[in-house]
Amino acid sequence: MTISRRRLFAGAAAAALSSILGAADRADPSRMIVRSPRPEDLEMPLDGFTDWITPIDRFFVRCHTYTPTVNLSGWSLKVDGVVEHPITLTMDDLKKLPRVELVGVLECAGNGRSFYQPRVPGTQWAFGSVGNARWAGVRLRDVLKKTGLKSSAQQILFDGADVPIGKMPDFQRTIPTAKALHPDTLLAYEMNGQSLPVQHGFPLRVIAPGWAGASWVKWLQHIEVLDHEFEGFWMKSAYRHPTRPVPPGTAVDASEMVPVTDLNVKSVIATPAGWAKPGPVRVRGAAWSNTSPVSKVDVSTDGGQSWKQAKLIGRQTQYGWRIWQYDWKPAEGSYTLMSRATNMAGRTQPLSQEWNPPGYLWNVAQPVALTISAQAPSSAVTESAGPQASYPDGYQAACFGCHDEHLMQQQRLTGAQWDREINKMTGWGAQIKPQDRDAILNYLSNRFKQ
Ligand SMILES: Nc1nc2c(c(=O)[nH]1)N[C@H]1C(S)=C(S)[C@@H](COP(=O)(O)O)O[C@H]1N2
Ligand SMILES: [Mo]
């Protein structure tokens, strides 16, 4: 097929325009905290919390497995299960349904995991596995209506085009019918006014506003309506948390935990970060919640002894985050800043964080240190595991096949926790020679310890 000069020009002009406008279609790794390059786990740095809409080049990426590239010409969405008429839809079919847009926060359940004490295994997110985007697509309800849900429908199962690595279970997730039929639960084909980027689920993903990211299934290609609870790993073992307080460090059986659904009310201080000059200082950040919008943000500059209300700026939407600011004129000295959001339902951030085994839903009003001085203090020493140690025999062969050492280096675990991690990985297909296991366990436990 030939492309006319005119279309060629239009394409080039659009590309030039989008580069001027900075409308990237992927995260810029040089401006992200790379938790893992492959599978891709990329975190937005703190300064991202001053944008109302998170641009795609700063939007966090969380993948349990390698990012698939879906070719639209071969793609379709199948909907079956306990329905009257199973259907298969192309993108053109979907685009004939009413188009719906909403601004909404997407946050990983594990955001803030690295702050839990005692430490827990998993991607060690600090603040930024969260972003606020403008999503557009169709109502899931409209798609389900086409099939005629049977009255026994209970759970809606989503499966994306990503394929598991080794023997890890396929990433499949369910949401209850009530959430699926909510008019704000969408299947999105656009993000921030452009076609859904590959890293965020091209061509179609679930938008479950107010719920943690694990329900926002990417690269969606199959929806199955179930009349029972789904037994898969990512529902029955992962993404569950206790409903009652548990003593820090205790193991809790998955059967005694429930699936993570709603996000918590939360706020983050973006600036100043660590240091500012004496004089007027604008403290600024973002605050978000679940399906109940943020009603106010309070700020403390004295470690929580006194609180003042911050100004909420920009637009308020039901599911988007709110940028807030607090103007302050500090003298030289050391301060402890905190921000604390409250939602319309009256829930507020706790002053101490309850611990949970998988490290989900961190939302404490977190103290951050700030120095006010004319000169910037010399930069702090960052946590490091020390100089490169030599690898034990068999470690690279057993552990560097599916991912590199990023995923190990960020953990701070006990020997028992490392032992369980090795078992998890051998269950997923890591092959360790029996004679190498002790040395590998020793290396990990001594080098990346609590
Ligand atoms: N198919 C598929 N969907 C997925 C995931 C995945 O690994 N595979 N990760 C989930 C998790 S845990 C989160 S937090 C969000 C992250 O979305 P993002 O990468 O667009 O930020 O996608 C969710 N959807
Ligand atoms: Mo997540």
Side-chain angles (χ1 to χ4, degrees), residues 24-37 40-45 56-59 61 199 406:
D25 66 355
R26 52 176 34 254
D28 175 354
S30 72
R31 299 180 67 221
M32 302 294 282
I33 304 166
V34 178
R35 299 288 174 203
S36 170
E40 288 182 292
D41 285 336
L42 311 174
E43 176 172 339
M44 181 186 76
I56 283 160
D57 59 356
R58 309 295 316 273
F59 205 98
V61 177
Q199 288 171 317
H406 272 83

Side-chain angles (χ1 to χ4, degrees), residues 77-345:
L77 175 67
K78 285 185 187 51
V79 191
D80 53 24
V82 290
V83 297
E84 300 294 343
H85 339 275
I87 51 170
T88 299
L89 301 171
T90 62
M91 188 52 79
D92 286 343
D93 297 331
L94 278 170
K95 290 199 170 163
K96 285 177 195 138
L97 293 170
R99 183 179 188 280
V100 183
E101 216 178 84
L102 66 82
V103 170
V105 168
L106 165 55
E107 182 180 25
C108 180
N111 196 21
R113 176 179 290 125
S114 66
F115 302 124
Y116 277 99
Q117 293 290 344
R119 303 280 292 255
V120 297
T123 308
Q124 297 296 301
W125 305 109
F127 296 100
S129 62
V130 57
N132 189 41
R134 186 184 299 279
W135 311 99
V138 299
R139 292 193 172 96
L140 174 56
R141 182 167 84 167
D142 290 347
V143 170
L144 292 175
K145 255 194 223 153
K146 278 178 164 290
T147 65
L149 280 195
K150 291 196 176 158
S151 58
S152 58
Q154 203 194 99
Q155 300 285 332
I156 311 296
L157 174 65
F158 302 117
D159 193 8
D162 48 344
V163 291
I165 303 173
K167 289 187 268 177
M168 80 188 287
D170 195 7
F171 187 81
Q172 293 174 310
R173 296 270 308 163
T174 57
I175 62 172
T177 325
K179 181 69 175 173
L181 295 177
H182 191 283
D184 295 332
T185 299
L186 310 184
L187 302 180
Y189 44 69
E190 276 175 28
M191 179 179 182
N192 294 353
Q194 58 190 90
S195 160
L196 192 66
V198 171
Q199 288 171 317
H200 301 292
F202 178 85
L204 195 69
R205 83 172 306 165
V206 177
I207 304 299
W211 283 28
S215 293
W216 299 46
V217 174
K218 305 193 271 190
W219 312 292
L220 186 66
Q221 56 181 17
H222 186 196
I223 297 177
E224 189 181 339
V225 182
L226 304 179
D227 59 6
H228 56 269
E229 267 192 34
F230 182 61
E231 296 292 324
F233 174 85
W234 300 101
M235 291 306 300
K236 283 283 150 133
S237 301
Y239 292 112
R240 296 175 83 91
H241 64 156
T243 48
R244 288 175 286 115
V246 299
T250 42
V252 182
D253 196 74
S255 63
E256 291 165 43
M257 301 197 276
V258 298
V260 169
T261 56
D262 287 69
L263 293 174
N264 277 332
V265 60
K266 184 164 174 181
S267 62
V268 166
I269 299 171
T271 71
W275 169 75
K277 289 182 180 160
V281 169
R282 175 161 284 177
V283 185
R284 193 180 259 233
W288 64 97
S289 178
N290 37 44
T291 52
S292 169
V294 167
S295 58
K296 66 165 183 159
V297 175
D298 294 308
V299 172
S300 174
T301 56
D302 56 13
Q305 291 172 53
S306 64
W307 296 89
K308 300 242 170 51
Q309 210 163 314
K311 191 170 159 195
L312 300 179
I313 59 172
R315 290 184 42 201
Q316 184 187 324
T317 58
Q318 180 158 12
Y319 306 108
W321 70 27
R322 207 70 203 271
I323 302 297
W324 53 266
Q325 66 188 38
Y326 173 68
D327 288 322
W328 173 48
K329 226 173 161 181
E332 282 200 31
S334 298
Y335 297 85
T336 301
L337 257 52
M338 293 165 82
S339 65
R340 191 180 195 194
T342 301
N343 71 14
M344 305 245 179

Side-chain angles (χ1 to χ4, degrees), residues 360-376:
Y360 291 142
L361 298 176
W362 174 268
N363 78 324
V364 73
Q366 200 162 343
V368 292
L370 174 66
T371 303
I372 301 290
S373 61
Q375 293 287 307

